[in-house]
Amino acid sequence: MSRPEHWRSDSAGDSVVVLDIPASLSRHRDFDIDETLIVWVPEDGIQAWQELNLEVDGRKQWSRPIFSSCQGQTDGLDYHCRIHLQAERALRVRALAFTRGAWVSSLFIEAKE
């Protein structure tokens, strides 16, 4: 029996992050995928907004724009989904962040089996 897999990729402040999970030749796998965007909203960020997008194998899976709150602090946006991988299939997950009046502090994707 194999250990559960855990994958993570962080953008280090960039607005794009990619997570590649290689194929397993011998078994099917289910992954819980968590995507998190943290932005810094300046004190005068009254009209600030942020948007988080998720692409799975090059296709848009989810997107959500929201107005940023918490002027002078951080604000965030999360998304969770579950993906089933057949044996011999790899997976590419890409997170994209867009902002106006705020900037990306952290963007990451985590996959847990």
Side-chain angles (χ1 to χ4, degrees):
M1 186 157 177
S2 62
R3 290 180 132 178
E5 295 178 44
H6 182 202
W7 300 88
R8 181 182 165 101
S9 186
D10 192 323
S11 72
D14 291 332
S15 59
V16 177
V17 64
V18 176
L19 176 65
D20 288 312
I21 299 174
S24 170
L25 299 178
S26 61
R27 64 188 184 93
H28 300 288
R29 299 171 293 169
D30 291 305
F31 285 99
D32 285 311
I33 308 290
D34 291 299
E35 178 182 51
T36 301
L37 168 64
I38 305 293
V39 299
W40 174 256
V41 184
E43 291 282 340
D44 60 350
I46 295 170
Q47 296 295 319
W49 59 266
Q50 67 214 34
E51 181 176 339
L52 181 58
N53 292 275
L54 173 69
E55 294 177 357
V56 176
D57 292 331
R59 293 182 180 204
K60 187 183 259 188
Q61 176 87 14
W62 180 83
S63 179
R64 174 120 191 246
I66 62 169
F67 285 104
S68 302
S69 56
C70 305
Q71 284 80 14
Q73 301 177 45
T74 59
D75 194 7
L77 192 54
D78 299 302
Y79 181 70
H80 173 85
C81 65
R82 178 161 235 176
I83 296 176
H84 178 75
L85 282 181
Q86 299 289 333
E88 300 183 10
R89 181 174 168 239
L91 178 68
R92 173 169 274 204
V93 181
R94 186 166 86 142
L96 298 102
F98 301 96
T99 62
R100 185 185 73 200
W103 59 88
V104 176
S105 175
S106 177
L107 175 64
F108 66 89
I109 304 169
E110 189 169 38
K112 292 181 183 178
E113 188 178 21

